[in-house]
């Protein structure tokens, strides 16, 4: 079979690319190895309210479990910082429905979609990648395409087989484990995050409410930790006397949080989303980043096809690095500083901030936050803390 | 010579999340929707997959060298 574009992977980035390219009138096939697109997920399902308008995604209640109004942060000794907005700031999705609907929008726009179709390898002709060797159920298929989009998630197999270097060492990943479970005692209008080097080394524990008494309760820790993410989550639940007796679902996965693939295009092959490690390194969320990368990639795919000039695809690398890549590099810098915080630092900072102007913090004005912290006597007496904070300015 | 190992999966723990395939430097692990596959010839015994697994589903066994 032959298409203008073949997209490998129907998570977040894949369907955005497939939809946009199909809308422009080009033939697209999107394949996914899953037999039900969206299942299983590797996600805590929280996303900013802004993405729906920005990426032209219907605000459809069928995939929105709950609207949330902000976040509550907890320090290792129990200091709390609440950031609550008047308006809805985000939603907790149902990825099983959301991903399938994104694929449906792509299909409606004209893309072909094949579930249970696993990409096995690239097809090369005269050294150039000309398509994808795949398997639909047990039937081998060969998909020839001008442009190949590797949106195949953290495994990133197709990008790597096409010769794009997406490899990262283990400390650049977080290891995650999550229950969807019944849980009580947490404000279901906020997401809740617990920090601490004993609680979740380099990461955090989260409670993302899907209902008044039902939530995604998960953890991310450094992937090169000798203990497992599951170990730390079960320990946290036990220590906080939260019964884990009503478990509706369990999800696991690795999250690339340590930097981004440099070359996002090789000839006619593009890599997007988790496969390109386009994830926010601070919180480990990658859906909005995948949508942004998918939007930029699809723009240049359409231009390259229109002008019959595949070298234009390189502009995806350029534009991404000049925009979202630049933003995420800054976030990564902050993440690397926060990695050095001790439990005492976290206690102090959250304690100080809870008494500060939370409006400013909630509006995301980091500079004001750092300045507020720098004024505190316990910070002023510690050259190490001053150095850490100044790195963030 | 460093000891060569083979990676084994505890299928009752594995969620087929694909993380091990993602961290493997040599593409020695493939995760299909129907199962986990280890490709011995590509493995360099680095054990990265074992520590990265979120649920501890992977372990090592010494590779039996054919006499």
């Amino acid at each position: 079979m032959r298409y203008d574009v073949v997209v490998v992977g129907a998570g977040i980035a894949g369907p955005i690319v497939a939809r946009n390219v199909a809308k422009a009138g080009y033939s697209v096939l999107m394949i996914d190895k899953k037999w039900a697109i969206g299942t299983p997920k590797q996600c805590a399902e929280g996303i900013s309210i802004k993405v729906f308008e920005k990426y032209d995604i219907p605000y459809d209640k069928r995939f929105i479990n709950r609207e949330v109004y902000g976040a509550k942060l907890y320090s290792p000794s129990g200091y709390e910082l609440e950031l609550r907005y008047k308006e809805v700031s985000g939603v907790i999705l149902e990825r099983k429905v959301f991903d399938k609907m994104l694929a449906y929008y792509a299909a409606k726009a004209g893309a072909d979609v094949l579930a249970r179709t696993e990409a096995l390898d690239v097809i090369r002709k005269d050294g150039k990648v000309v398509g994808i060797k795949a398997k639909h159920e047990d039937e081998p298929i060969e998909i020839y395409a001008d442009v190949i989009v590797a949106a195949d998630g953290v495994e990133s197999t197709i990008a790597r087989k096409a010769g794009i270097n997406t490899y990262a060492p283990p400390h650049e990943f977080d290891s995650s484990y999550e229950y969807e479970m019944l849980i009580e005692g947490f404000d279901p209008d906020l997401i809740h995050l617990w920090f601490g080097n004993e609680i979740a080394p380099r990461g955090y524990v989260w409670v993302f409410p899907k209902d008044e008494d039902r939530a995604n309760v998960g953890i991310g820790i450094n992937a090169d930790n000798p203990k497992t993410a599951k170990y730390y989550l079960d320990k946290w639940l036990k220590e906080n006397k939260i019964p884990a007796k009503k478990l509706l679902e369990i999800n696991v996965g690795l999250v690339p949080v340590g930097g981004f693939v440099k070359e996002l295009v090789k000839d006619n092959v593009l890599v997007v989303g988790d496969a390109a490690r386009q994830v926010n390194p601070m919180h480990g969320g990658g859906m909005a980043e995948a949508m942004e990368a998918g939007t930029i990639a699809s723009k240049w795919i359409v231009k390259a096809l229109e002008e019959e000039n595949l070298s234009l695809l390189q502009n995806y690398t350029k534009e991404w690095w000049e925009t979202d890549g630049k933003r995420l590099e800054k976030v990564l810098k902050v993440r690397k500083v926060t990695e050095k915080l001790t439990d005492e630092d976290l206690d102090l900072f959250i304690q100080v901030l809870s008494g500060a102007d939370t409006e400013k913090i909630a509006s995301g004005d980091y500079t004001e936050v750092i300045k507020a912290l720098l004024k505190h006597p316990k910070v002023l007496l510690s050259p190490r803390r001053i150095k850490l904070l100044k790195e963030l300015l | 010579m460093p000891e060569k190992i083979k990676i084994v999966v505890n299928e009752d723990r594995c969620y087929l999340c694909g993380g091990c395939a993602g961290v493997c430097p040599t593409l020695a692990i493939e995760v299909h929707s129907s199962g986990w596959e280890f490709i011995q010839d590509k493995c360099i015994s680095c054990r990265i997959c074992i520590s990265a697994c979120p649920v501890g589903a992977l372990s090592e066994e010494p590779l039996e060298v054919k006499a």
Side-chain angles (χ1 to χ4, degrees):
Chain A
M1 51 182 82
R2 212 221 103 86
Y3 288 85
D4 294 324
V5 180
V6 60
V7 177
V8 180
I12 302 291
I16 295 285
V17 173
R19 180 196 67 178
N20 294 359
V21 171
K23 263 189 189 165
Y26 294 96
S27 65
V28 192
L29 171 65
M30 177 168 69
I31 62 170
D32 197 295
K33 72 177 177 185
K34 294 171 176 175
W35 50 69
I37 287 172
T39 308
K41 67 176 164 76
Q42 282 133 33
C43 190
E45 304 184 296
I47 195 162
S48 158
I49 194 82
K50 291 174 188 159
V51 300
F52 296 95
E53 203 187 330
K54 193 171 178 194
Y55 302 107
D56 191 23
I57 298 164
Y59 196 70
D60 190 326
K61 295 282 181 190
R62 279 176 290 184
F63 49 66
I64 294 167
N65 282 300
R66 196 172 177 86
E67 296 175 329
V68 291
Y69 292 82
K72 196 165 175 181
L73 281 52
Y74 303 80
S75 81
S77 303
Y79 295 105
E80 299 175 1
L81 173 61
E82 191 178 294
L83 307 167
R84 192 189 295 265
Y85 302 86
K86 289 187 186 75
E87 309 287 329
V88 172
S89 61
V91 298
I92 312 303
L93 294 167
E94 186 65 24
R95 280 290 300 270
K96 287 184 197 70
V97 185
F98 186 64
D99 290 20
K100 196 183 275 179
M101 293 295 274
L102 290 183
Y104 164 63
Y105 305 142
K108 263 167 80 96
D112 286 348
V113 178
L114 274 182
R116 206 174 186 182
T117 303
E118 183 179 337
L120 302 171
D121 207 343
V122 295
I123 306 170
R124 282 178 195 274
K125 200 182 162 194
D126 305 325
K128 243 196 83 191
V129 176
V130 292
I132 293 290
K133 204 177 288 173
K135 192 173 69 174
H136 174 67
E137 296 174 337
D138 63 346
E139 174 200 345
I141 53 172
E142 291 193 338
I143 308 153
Y144 290 89
D146 294 331
V147 178
I148 290 101
V149 179
D152 51 345
V154 71
E155 295 163 57
S156 202
T157 311
I158 285 305
R160 285 159 77 187
K161 285 187 173 170
I164 299 180
N165 179 19
T166 68
Y167 183 73
H171 67 268
E172 294 193 9
F173 289 86
D174 274 357
S175 181
S176 286
Y177 187 81
E178 175 183 81
Y179 295 118
E180 179 179 329
M181 58 185 270
L182 273 66
I183 186 166
E184 285 177 354
F186 301 102
D187 185 337
D189 292 332
L190 301 172
I191 59 167
H192 301 263
L193 311 170
W194 286 262
F195 298 90
N197 295 301
E198 302 293 322
I199 294 168
R202 207 185 67 185
Y204 58 92
V205 167
W206 64 79
V207 169
F208 281 17
K210 296 179 88 164
D211 223 328
E212 292 210 337
D213 54 358
R214 178 171 66 101
N216 286 331
V217 181
I219 193 169
I221 63 162
N222 57 317
D224 53 353
N225 193 297
K227 291 203 169 74
T228 64
K230 176 183 167 62
Y231 164 83
Y232 278 101
L233 183 63
D234 287 342
K235 180 163 91 76
W236 181 82
L237 288 165
K238 206 175 163 196
E239 284 171 1
N240 288 279
K241 299 185 177 61
I242 300 168
K245 285 181 176 175
K246 297 172 194 286
L247 307 180
L248 308 177
E249 184 172 323
I250 302 170
N251 288 109
V252 311
L254 291 192
V255 190
V257 290
F260 322 99
V261 172
K262 291 279 172 289
E263 297 295 335
L264 299 169
V265 181
K266 187 174 184 192
D267 301 322
N268 56 338
V269 184
L270 296 81
V271 60
V272 286
D274 273 18
R277 295 187 263 118
Q278 288 159 327
V279 171
N280 184 311
M282 196 70 200
H283 55 58
M287 286 192 281
E289 285 72 17
M291 289 171 187
E292 182 64 23
T295 303
I296 301 170
S298 57
K299 184 176 100 183
W300 289 107
I301 292 169
V302 169
K303 277 228 168 85
L305 293 172
E306 271 171 5
E307 298 185 23
E308 295 180 18
N309 177 5
L310 291 181
S311 70
L312 291 175
L313 294 173
Q314 292 294 340
N315 287 307
Y316 159 52
T317 299
K318 191 166 173 281
E319 185 177 337
W320 188 83
W321 274 103
E322 283 171 1
T323 56
D324 222 29
K326 201 169 164 189
R327 176 184 71 91
L328 290 171
E329 277 287 328
K330 280 185 198 153
V331 178
L332 179 60
K333 208 178 118 192
V334 176
R335 214 294 303 280
K336 284 185 173 161
V337 174
T338 59
E339 248 175 66
K340 296 178 204 159
L341 298 180
T342 64
D343 279 5
E344 291 73 30
D345 293 335
L346 289 163
D347 277 334
L348 174 66
F349 291 173
I350 289 187
Q351 192 187 0
V352 173
L353 291 176
S354 61
D357 188 348
T358 47
E359 288 270 317
K360 272 191 181 142
I361 302 168
S363 72
D365 194 342
Y366 288 114
T367 322
E368 290 301 319
V369 175
I370 308 298
K371 280 183 185 161
L373 288 172
L374 279 167
K375 280 181 199 152
H376 195 273
K378 276 192 182 163
V379 175
L380 288 171
L381 288 172
S382 158
R384 185 184 58 83
R385 283 174 178 155
I386 292 174
K387 188 171 167 283
L388 280 173
L389 289 167
K390 286 201 168 154
E391 281 177 47
L392 295 172
L393 279 173
Chain B
M1 207 177 110
E3 185 202 9
K4 286 280 277 176
I5 56 164
K6 73 172 177 185
I7 305 296
V8 290
V9 67
N10 178 342
E11 284 171 4
D12 294 330
R13 280 194 194 173
C14 176
Y15 286 84
L16 299 174
C17 77
C20 49
V23 292
C24 176
T26 59
L27 296 167
I29 296 173
E30 289 186 4
V31 178
H32 314 285
S33 50
S34 51
W36 183 94
E37 189 186 350
F38 175 61
I39 302 149
Q40 182 71 62
D41 288 350
K42 293 185 181 173
C43 178
I44 53 169
S45 308
C46 70
R47 298 170 173 84
I48 286 173
C49 55
I50 296 175
S51 75
C53 177
V55 291
L58 300 180
S59 57
E60 64 179 273
E61 282 178 5
L63 186 64
E64 291 165 36
V65 183
K66 280 178 200 152

